[in-house]
Amino acid sequence: TERADEAEQMRHDAIFRIGLSSMNLAQYETALSYFSQLIEKDALKVPYGDQVYYWIGEACFHLERYAEALEAYQQVVQRYPQSSLLSEARYGVAWAYYSLAQWEEAANAFEQLYQADPQGEFALEALFQRGDSYLRAERYADAETAYHIIQQAFPESELSSQAQFRLGHAYYQQNQLEKAAAVLQQLL
């Protein structure tokens, strides 16, 4: 009946809000247990599945369960391309890969985050972390490119000088010592 459906929806909404409250209290295991109640055999019991998966990702990330976080964030990206949490979920995907030391995947995910919204709130950090991921993967030329883009597109940003330092490091790692010295000298 309609009344029973309303009661069930209210129960689900209460479970979700308890999960959010638990997140705000940094009680991530508790939050996860509540959010998980809203998924049954891969089917969501609520119309706001993007939020459920996103917050599962956040709880898992805080618990350093990065593979599970990655899976949850990917659910948002794949199943809910119109979600208001899409950028945040892409950001979560990239950081989950980074936290798993999967540098190539992290670099690609940060690139996708940047390409999706080059002027958005995550653009600068996505470029920087893309460069850092390439640096860790020892793909120095790709790291150089990312750091150059930061210096050109965001010259006044705080990360621009950090990008300059990392660029010097990339040159150094490639045994381009004169270039490394010149770039690093500009920081002095």
Side-chain angles (χ1 to χ4, degrees):
T1 69
E2 191 174 314
R3 187 163 277 192
D5 289 346
E6 269 182 40
E8 186 69 2
Q9 187 59 52
M10 196 178 331
R11 191 176 88 69
H12 292 153
D13 290 348
I15 289 169
F16 183 71
R17 294 198 190 288
I18 293 168
L20 288 178
S21 298
S22 298
M23 286 296 296
N24 288 323
L25 293 167
Q27 297 170 348
Y28 305 117
E29 285 288 356
T30 303
L32 203 49
S33 72
Y34 280 99
F35 294 138
S36 297
Q37 291 177 43
L38 299 173
I39 302 172
E40 187 176 280
K41 294 183 183 159
D42 206 34
L44 284 147
K45 298 179 180 180
V46 292
Y48 42 87
D50 58 334
Q51 294 180 50
V52 173
Y53 281 117
Y54 174 76
W55 287 108
I56 287 173
E58 288 290 286
C60 289
F61 195 91
H62 283 287
L63 292 168
E64 299 180 9
R65 290 161 45 182
Y66 302 120
E68 291 173 65
L70 176 61
E71 197 175 304
Y73 292 133
Q74 285 175 327
Q75 291 293 328
V76 178
V77 173
Q78 292 164 4
R79 288 184 176 195
Y80 304 95
Q82 303 303 316
S83 173
S84 62
L85 293 170
L86 187 60
S87 290
E88 287 83 352
R90 283 188 173 124
Y91 183 79
V93 165
W95 273 108
Y97 278 130
Y98 189 92
S99 299
L100 290 166
Q102 295 180 11
W103 309 125
E104 299 284 337
E105 293 85 351
N108 290 335
F110 281 119
E111 172 68 12
Q112 289 170 6
L113 178 62
Y114 174 71
Q115 291 298 332
D117 191 1
Q119 303 300 318
E121 77 175 288
F122 299 118
L124 175 59
E125 187 180 354
L127 276 174
F128 185 81
Q129 292 307 140
R130 182 180 123 215
D132 198 48
S133 298
Y134 282 138
L135 205 56
R136 290 173 180 267
E138 300 180 0
R139 287 182 50 186
Y140 301 116
D142 291 323
E144 273 179 56
T145 301
Y147 295 137
H148 278 302
I149 293 170
I150 291 170
Q151 292 177 316
Q152 292 165 358
F154 303 95
E156 303 300 316
S157 77
E158 186 180 308
L159 286 179
S160 186
S161 60
Q162 289 182 38
Q164 177 117 7
F165 178 80
R166 300 278 170 88
L167 180 60
H169 179 68
Y171 286 138
Y172 179 83
Q173 290 299 113
Q174 296 173 87
N175 207 28
Q176 297 178 24
L177 303 179
E178 288 179 12
K179 269 186 166 180
V183 166
L184 294 171
Q185 185 70 35
Q186 293 171 19
L187 291 169
L188 304 179

mmCIF file of all heavy atoms in Angstrom, residues 18-54:
data_model
loop_
_atom_site.group_PDB
_atom_site.id
_atom_site.type_symbol
_atom_site.label_atom_id
_atom_site.label_comp_id
_atom_site.label_asym_id
_atom_site.label_seq_id
_atom_site.Cartn_x
_atom_site.Cartn_y
_atom_site.Cartn_z
ATOM 1 N N ILE A 18 21.280 8.796 9.498
ATOM 2 C CA ILE A 18 22.118 8.284 10.592
ATOM 3 C C ILE A 18 23.533 8.020 10.063
ATOM 4 O O ILE A 18 24.528 8.323 10.716
ATOM 5 C CB ILE A 18 21.513 7.015 11.230
ATOM 6 C CG1 ILE A 18 20.207 7.351 11.948
ATOM 7 C CG2 ILE A 18 22.506 6.379 12.215
ATOM 8 C CD1 ILE A 18 19.392 6.124 12.367
ATOM 9 N N GLY A 19 23.604 7.481 8.839
ATOM 10 C CA GLY A 19 24.905 7.272 8.213
ATOM 11 C C GLY A 19 25.662 8.577 8.029
ATOM 12 O O GLY A 19 26.859 8.669 8.349
ATOM 13 N N LEU A 20 24.984 9.615 7.542
ATOM 14 C CA LEU A 20 25.621 10.924 7.381
ATOM 15 C C LEU A 20 26.057 11.495 8.723
ATOM 16 O O LEU A 20 27.151 12.062 8.840
ATOM 17 C CB LEU A 20 24.670 11.909 6.694
ATOM 18 C CG LEU A 20 24.402 11.687 5.214
ATOM 19 C CD1 LEU A 20 23.407 12.717 4.697
ATOM 20 C CD2 LEU A 20 25.697 11.756 4.413
ATOM 21 N N SER A 21 25.216 11.348 9.719
ATOM 22 C CA SER A 21 25.575 11.829 11.061
ATOM 23 C C SER A 21 26.813 11.105 11.565
ATOM 24 O O SER A 21 27.713 11.725 12.146
ATOM 25 C CB SER A 21 24.411 11.624 12.040
ATOM 26 O OG SER A 21 23.297 12.378 11.627
ATOM 27 N N SER A 22 26.876 9.820 11.336
ATOM 28 C CA SER A 22 28.044 9.033 11.755
ATOM 29 C C SER A 22 29.299 9.509 11.028
ATOM 30 O O SER A 22 30.379 9.573 11.626
ATOM 31 C CB SER A 22 27.817 7.545 11.500
ATOM 32 O OG SER A 22 26.714 7.084 12.254
ATOM 33 N N MET A 23 29.168 9.851 9.754
ATOM 34 C CA MET A 23 30.317 10.391 9.008
ATOM 35 C C MET A 23 30.805 11.673 9.660
ATOM 36 O O MET A 23 31.995 11.856 9.871
ATOM 37 C CB MET A 23 29.931 10.686 7.546
ATOM 38 C CG MET A 23 29.777 9.485 6.662
ATOM 39 S SD MET A 23 31.290 8.532 6.395
ATOM 40 C CE MET A 23 32.324 9.715 5.526
ATOM 41 N N ASN A 24 29.864 12.562 9.982
ATOM 42 C CA ASN A 24 30.226 13.839 10.601
ATOM 43 C C ASN A 24 30.853 13.665 11.974
ATOM 44 O O ASN A 24 31.596 14.528 12.429
ATOM 45 C CB ASN A 24 29.009 14.764 10.678
ATOM 46 C CG ASN A 24 28.637 15.297 9.307
ATOM 47 O OD1 ASN A 24 29.498 15.584 8.488
ATOM 48 N ND2 ASN A 24 27.343 15.417 9.051
ATOM 49 N N LEU A 25 30.562 12.557 12.619
ATOM 50 C CA LEU A 25 31.154 12.249 13.925
ATOM 51 C C LEU A 25 32.430 11.416 13.784
ATOM 52 O O LEU A 25 32.980 10.954 14.781
ATOM 53 C CB LEU A 25 30.136 11.498 14.793
ATOM 54 C CG LEU A 25 28.904 12.294 15.227
ATOM 55 C CD1 LEU A 25 27.841 11.369 15.802
ATOM 56 C CD2 LEU A 25 29.303 13.378 16.223
ATOM 57 N N ALA A 26 32.879 11.220 12.539
ATOM 58 C CA ALA A 26 34.076 10.421 12.237
ATOM 59 C C ALA A 26 33.927 8.969 12.703
ATOM 60 O O ALA A 26 34.903 8.315 13.049
ATOM 61 C CB ALA A 26 35.336 11.061 12.817
ATOM 62 N N GLN A 27 32.694 8.479 12.706
ATOM 63 C CA GLN A 27 32.414 7.079 13.059
ATOM 64 C C GLN A 27 32.179 6.318 11.751
ATOM 65 O O GLN A 27 31.053 6.011 11.381
ATOM 66 C CB GLN A 27 31.196 7.004 13.983
ATOM 67 C CG GLN A 27 31.410 7.713 15.304
ATOM 68 C CD GLN A 27 30.126 7.840 16.111
ATOM 69 O OE1 GLN A 27 29.025 7.611 15.619
ATOM 70 N NE2 GLN A 27 30.282 8.224 17.379
ATOM 71 N N TYR A 28 33.273 6.048 11.053
ATOM 72 C CA TYR A 28 33.188 5.561 9.686
ATOM 73 C C TYR A 28 32.661 4.136 9.581
ATOM 74 O O TYR A 28 31.906 3.829 8.660
ATOM 75 C CB TYR A 28 34.538 5.709 8.997
ATOM 76 C CG TYR A 28 35.031 7.140 9.074
ATOM 77 C CD1 TYR A 28 36.198 7.470 9.749
ATOM 78 C CD2 TYR A 28 34.290 8.176 8.496
ATOM 79 C CE1 TYR A 28 36.624 8.780 9.842
ATOM 80 C CE2 TYR A 28 34.711 9.490 8.592
ATOM 81 C CZ TYR A 28 35.880 9.790 9.265
ATOM 82 O OH TYR A 28 36.287 11.081 9.361
ATOM 83 N N GLU A 29 33.037 3.265 10.487
ATOM 84 C CA GLU A 29 32.504 1.886 10.460
ATOM 85 C C GLU A 29 30.989 1.902 10.652
ATOM 86 O O GLU A 29 30.261 1.190 9.972
ATOM 87 C CB GLU A 29 33.162 1.014 11.542
ATOM 88 C CG GLU A 29 34.581 0.588 11.236
ATOM 89 C CD GLU A 29 34.694 -0.471 10.144
ATOM 90 O OE1 GLU A 29 33.678 -0.979 9.625
ATOM 91 O OE2 GLU A 29 35.844 -0.775 9.784
ATOM 92 N N THR A 30 30.545 2.720 11.600
ATOM 93 C CA THR A 30 29.111 2.837 11.863
ATOM 94 C C THR A 30 28.399 3.375 10.630
ATOM 95 O O THR A 30 27.360 2.843 10.212
ATOM 96 C CB THR A 30 28.853 3.742 13.080
ATOM 97 O OG1 THR A 30 29.549 3.207 14.204
ATOM 98 C CG2 THR A 30 27.374 3.866 13.397
ATOM 99 N N ALA A 31 28.955 4.428 10.033
ATOM 100 C CA ALA A 31 28.358 5.015 8.835
ATOM 101 C C ALA A 31 28.250 3.964 7.733
ATOM 102 O O ALA A 31 27.195 3.831 7.103
ATOM 103 C CB ALA A 31 29.206 6.196 8.358
ATOM 104 N N LEU A 32 29.308 3.216 7.550
ATOM 105 C CA LEU A 32 29.332 2.186 6.519
ATOM 106 C C LEU A 32 28.242 1.141 6.746
ATOM 107 O O LEU A 32 27.572 0.715 5.806
ATOM 108 C CB LEU A 32 30.715 1.527 6.512
ATOM 109 C CG LEU A 32 31.186 0.840 5.259
ATOM 110 C CD1 LEU A 32 31.012 1.704 4.030
ATOM 111 C CD2 LEU A 32 32.645 0.450 5.424
ATOM 112 N N SER A 33 28.045 0.773 7.997
ATOM 113 C CA SER A 33 27.024 -0.241 8.289
ATOM 114 C C SER A 33 25.623 0.290 7.954
ATOM 115 O O SER A 33 24.779 -0.459 7.465
ATOM 116 C CB SER A 33 27.107 -0.705 9.742
ATOM 117 O OG SER A 33 26.656 0.298 10.620
ATOM 118 N N TYR A 34 25.391 1.581 8.186
ATOM 119 C CA TYR A 34 24.083 2.147 7.847
ATOM 120 C C TYR A 34 23.921 2.290 6.329
ATOM 121 O O TYR A 34 22.903 1.884 5.770
ATOM 122 C CB TYR A 34 23.862 3.492 8.546
ATOM 123 C CG TYR A 34 23.429 3.314 9.974
ATOM 124 C CD1 TYR A 34 24.340 3.422 11.022
ATOM 125 C CD2 TYR A 34 22.109 3.013 10.285
ATOM 126 C CE1 TYR A 34 23.944 3.225 12.333
ATOM 127 C CE2 TYR A 34 21.702 2.814 11.595
ATOM 128 C CZ TYR A 34 22.620 2.923 12.614
ATOM 129 O OH TYR A 34 22.226 2.723 13.905
ATOM 130 N N PHE A 35 24.920 2.852 5.655
ATOM 131 C CA PHE A 35 24.813 3.013 4.199
ATOM 132 C C PHE A 35 24.623 1.669 3.512
ATOM 133 O O PHE A 35 23.856 1.553 2.561
ATOM 134 C CB PHE A 35 26.047 3.720 3.631
ATOM 135 C CG PHE A 35 26.197 5.148 4.079
ATOM 136 C CD1 PHE A 35 27.442 5.637 4.443
ATOM 137 C CD2 PHE A 35 25.114 6.003 4.129
ATOM 138 C CE1 PHE A 35 27.602 6.948 4.850
ATOM 139 C CE2 PHE A 35 25.248 7.327 4.536
ATOM 140 C CZ PHE A 35 26.504 7.799 4.898
ATOM 141 N N SER A 36 25.317 0.657 3.986
ATOM 142 C CA SER A 36 25.241 -0.673 3.370
ATOM 143 C C SER A 36 23.844 -1.279 3.465
ATOM 144 O O SER A 36 23.474 -2.112 2.634
ATOM 145 C CB SER A 36 26.266 -1.607 4.004
ATOM 146 O OG SER A 36 27.573 -1.115 3.746
ATOM 147 N N GLN A 37 23.084 -0.865 4.456
ATOM 148 C CA GLN A 37 21.713 -1.370 4.589
ATOM 149 C C GLN A 37 20.819 -0.917 3.437
ATOM 150 O O GLN A 37 19.757 -1.499 3.208
ATOM 151 C CB GLN A 37 21.088 -0.886 5.907
ATOM 152 C CG GLN A 37 21.701 -1.491 7.142
ATOM 153 C CD GLN A 37 21.080 -0.896 8.405
ATOM 154 O OE1 GLN A 37 19.860 -0.727 8.485
ATOM 155 N NE2 GLN A 37 21.920 -0.572 9.385
ATOM 156 N N LEU A 38 21.257 0.108 2.728
ATOM 157 C CA LEU A 38 20.445 0.657 1.648
ATOM 158 C C LEU A 38 20.728 -0.019 0.297
ATOM 159 O O LEU A 38 20.135 0.331 -0.713
ATOM 160 C CB LEU A 38 20.667 2.167 1.539
ATOM 161 C CG LEU A 38 20.272 2.940 2.810
ATOM 162 C CD1 LEU A 38 20.682 4.395 2.701
ATOM 163 C CD2 LEU A 38 18.788 2.799 3.097
ATOM 164 N N ILE A 39 21.633 -0.972 0.308
ATOM 165 C CA ILE A 39 21.957 -1.730 -0.904
ATOM 166 C C ILE A 39 21.655 -3.194 -0.642
ATOM 167 O O ILE A 39 22.087 -3.753 0.350
ATOM 168 C CB ILE A 39 23.449 -1.580 -1.271
ATOM 169 C CG1 ILE A 39 23.807 -0.113 -1.472
ATOM 170 C CG2 ILE A 39 23.764 -2.385 -2.526
ATOM 171 C CD1 ILE A 39 25.279 0.128 -1.652
ATOM 172 N N GLU A 40 20.889 -3.777 -1.536
ATOM 173 C CA GLU A 40 20.546 -5.192 -1.383
ATOM 174 C C GLU A 40 20.799 -5.904 -2.699
ATOM 175 O O GLU A 40 20.183 -5.574 -3.717
ATOM 176 C CB GLU A 40 19.063 -5.310 -0.994
ATOM 177 C CG GLU A 40 18.633 -6.705 -0.638
ATOM 178 C CD GLU A 40 17.183 -6.693 -0.185
ATOM 179 O OE1 GLU A 40 16.931 -6.340 0.979
ATOM 180 O OE2 GLU A 40 16.314 -7.032 -1.013
ATOM 181 N N LYS A 41 21.753 -6.808 -2.697
ATOM 182 C CA LYS A 41 22.104 -7.552 -3.915
ATOM 183 C C LYS A 41 22.337 -6.602 -5.086
ATOM 184 O O LYS A 41 21.767 -6.764 -6.159
ATOM 185 C CB LYS A 41 21.018 -8.574 -4.244
ATOM 186 C CG LYS A 41 20.914 -9.677 -3.217
ATOM 187 C CD LYS A 41 19.868 -10.693 -3.621
ATOM 188 C CE LYS A 41 19.757 -11.737 -2.509
ATOM 189 N NZ LYS A 41 18.516 -12.442 -2.532
ATOM 190 N N ASP A 42 23.144 -5.570 -4.844
ATOM 191 C CA ASP A 42 23.515 -4.585 -5.852
ATOM 192 C C ASP A 42 22.345 -3.713 -6.309
ATOM 193 O O ASP A 42 22.467 -2.961 -7.255
ATOM 194 C CB ASP A 42 24.190 -5.256 -7.057
ATOM 195 C CG ASP A 42 25.121 -4.302 -7.778
ATOM 196 O OD1 ASP A 42 25.736 -3.451 -7.102
ATOM 197 O OD2 ASP A 42 25.228 -4.401 -9.005
ATOM 198 N N ALA A 43 21.199 -3.817 -5.661
ATOM 199 C CA ALA A 43 20.063 -2.959 -5.997
ATOM 200 C C ALA A 43 19.868 -1.961 -4.851
ATOM 201 O O ALA A 43 19.931 -2.329 -3.682
ATOM 202 C CB ALA A 43 18.806 -3.785 -6.183
ATOM 203 N N LEU A 44 19.658 -0.728 -5.217
ATOM 204 C CA LEU A 44 19.470 0.302 -4.200
ATOM 205 C C LEU A 44 18.016 0.393 -3.786
ATOM 206 O O LEU A 44 17.117 0.259 -4.608
ATOM 207 C CB LEU A 44 19.949 1.642 -4.740
ATOM 208 C CG LEU A 44 21.461 1.713 -4.745
ATOM 209 C CD1 LEU A 44 21.948 2.542 -5.892
ATOM 210 C CD2 LEU A 44 21.930 2.257 -3.431
ATOM 211 N N LYS A 45 17.819 0.649 -2.503
ATOM 212 C CA LYS A 45 16.467 0.764 -1.971
ATOM 213 C C LYS A 45 15.981 2.212 -1.985
ATOM 214 O O LYS A 45 14.883 2.495 -1.541
ATOM 215 C CB LYS A 45 16.446 0.253 -0.521
ATOM 216 C CG LYS A 45 16.817 -1.217 -0.377
ATOM 217 C CD LYS A 45 16.784 -1.614 1.089
ATOM 218 C CE LYS A 45 17.152 -3.062 1.278
ATOM 219 N NZ LYS A 45 17.133 -3.449 2.703
ATOM 220 N N VAL A 46 16.840 3.120 -2.438
ATOM 221 C CA VAL A 46 16.502 4.546 -2.417
ATOM 222 C C VAL A 46 16.792 5.169 -3.786
ATOM 223 O O VAL A 46 17.635 4.676 -4.535
ATOM 224 C CB VAL A 46 17.303 5.283 -1.323
ATOM 225 C CG1 VAL A 46 16.853 4.846 0.059
ATOM 226 C CG2 VAL A 46 18.793 5.073 -1.497
ATOM 227 N N PRO A 47 16.122 6.279 -4.102
ATOM 228 C CA PRO A 47 16.339 6.929 -5.397
ATOM 229 C C PRO A 47 17.626 7.767 -5.451
ATOM 230 O O PRO A 47 17.968 8.278 -6.497
ATOM 231 C CB PRO A 47 15.096 7.806 -5.562
ATOM 232 C CG PRO A 47 14.619 8.060 -4.183
ATOM 233 C CD PRO A 47 14.993 6.851 -3.381
ATOM 234 N N TYR A 48 18.318 7.915 -4.350
ATOM 235 C CA TYR A 48 19.548 8.726 -4.318
ATOM 236 C C TYR A 48 20.775 7.828 -4.143
ATOM 237 O O TYR A 48 21.623 8.039 -3.291
ATOM 238 C CB TYR A 48 19.472 9.789 -3.221
ATOM 239 C CG TYR A 48 18.896 9.329 -1.907
ATOM 240 C CD1 TYR A 48 19.692 8.746 -0.923
ATOM 241 C CD2 TYR A 48 17.533 9.487 -1.645
ATOM 242 C CE1 TYR A 48 19.157 8.315 0.276
ATOM 243 C CE2 TYR A 48 16.987 9.063 -0.442
ATOM 244 C CZ TYR A 48 17.809 8.477 0.517
ATOM 245 O OH TYR A 48 17.273 8.055 1.711
ATOM 246 N N GLY A 49 20.859 6.850 -5.025
ATOM 247 C CA GLY A 49 21.950 5.880 -4.979
ATOM 248 C C GLY A 49 23.318 6.502 -5.150
ATOM 249 O O GLY A 49 24.303 6.025 -4.572
ATOM 250 N N ASP A 50 23.395 7.583 -5.934
ATOM 251 C CA ASP A 50 24.684 8.237 -6.115
ATOM 252 C C ASP A 50 25.235 8.703 -4.770
ATOM 253 O O ASP A 50 26.425 8.539 -4.485
ATOM 254 C CB ASP A 50 24.581 9.401 -7.093
ATOM 255 C CG ASP A 50 23.571 10.465 -6.685
ATOM 256 O OD1 ASP A 50 22.602 10.155 -5.955
ATOM 257 O OD2 ASP A 50 23.746 11.623 -7.116
ATOM 258 N N GLN A 51 24.369 9.231 -3.929
ATOM 259 C CA GLN A 51 24.808 9.701 -2.611
ATOM 260 C C GLN A 51 25.228 8.527 -1.724
ATOM 261 O O GLN A 51 26.228 8.611 -1.008
ATOM 262 C CB GLN A 51 23.695 10.499 -1.927
ATOM 263 C CG GLN A 51 23.387 11.801 -2.641
ATOM 264 C CD GLN A 51 22.286 12.564 -1.937
ATOM 265 O OE1 GLN A 51 22.340 12.764 -0.740
ATOM 266 N NE2 GLN A 51 21.277 12.968 -2.697
ATOM 267 N N VAL A 52 24.465 7.449 -1.775
ATOM 268 C CA VAL A 52 24.796 6.273 -0.964
ATOM 269 C C VAL A 52 26.172 5.749 -1.349
ATOM 270 O O VAL A 52 27.037 5.554 -0.490
ATOM 271 C CB VAL A 52 23.726 5.163 -1.120
ATOM 272 C CG1 VAL A 52 24.164 3.891 -0.403
ATOM 273 C CG2 VAL A 52 22.373 5.641 -0.589
ATOM 274 N N TYR A 53 26.409 5.549 -2.641
ATOM 275 C CA TYR A 53 27.707 5.032 -3.087
ATOM 276 C C TYR A 53 28.838 6.016 -2.768
ATOM 277 O O TYR A 53 29.932 5.617 -2.361
ATOM 278 C CB TYR A 53 27.703 4.701 -4.577
ATOM 279 C CG TYR A 53 27.048 3.382 -4.887
ATOM 280 C CD1 TYR A 53 25.904 3.317 -5.669
ATOM 281 C CD2 TYR A 53 27.580 2.185 -4.401
ATOM 282 C CE1 TYR A 53 25.303 2.095 -5.963
ATOM 283 C CE2 TYR A 53 26.985 0.971 -4.683
ATOM 284 C CZ TYR A 53 25.860 0.929 -5.465
ATOM 285 O OH TYR A 53 25.265 -0.267 -5.751
ATOM 286 N N TYR A 54 28.577 7.297 -2.972
ATOM 287 C CA TYR A 54 29.612 8.298 -2.688
ATOM 288 C C TYR A 54 30.030 8.235 -1.212
ATOM 289 O O TYR A 54 31.224 8.209 -0.894
ATOM 290 C CB TYR A 54 29.129 9.713 -3.044
ATOM 291 C CG TYR A 54 30.129 10.756 -2.617
ATOM 292 C CD1 TYR A 54 31.288 10.957 -3.352
ATOM 293 C CD2 TYR A 54 29.932 11.510 -1.461
ATOM 294 C CE1 TYR A 54 32.231 11.887 -2.943
ATOM 295 C CE2 TYR A 54 30.873 12.434 -1.056
ATOM 296 C CZ TYR A 54 32.015 12.622 -1.801
ATOM 297 O OH TYR A 54 32.954 13.543 -1.384
#
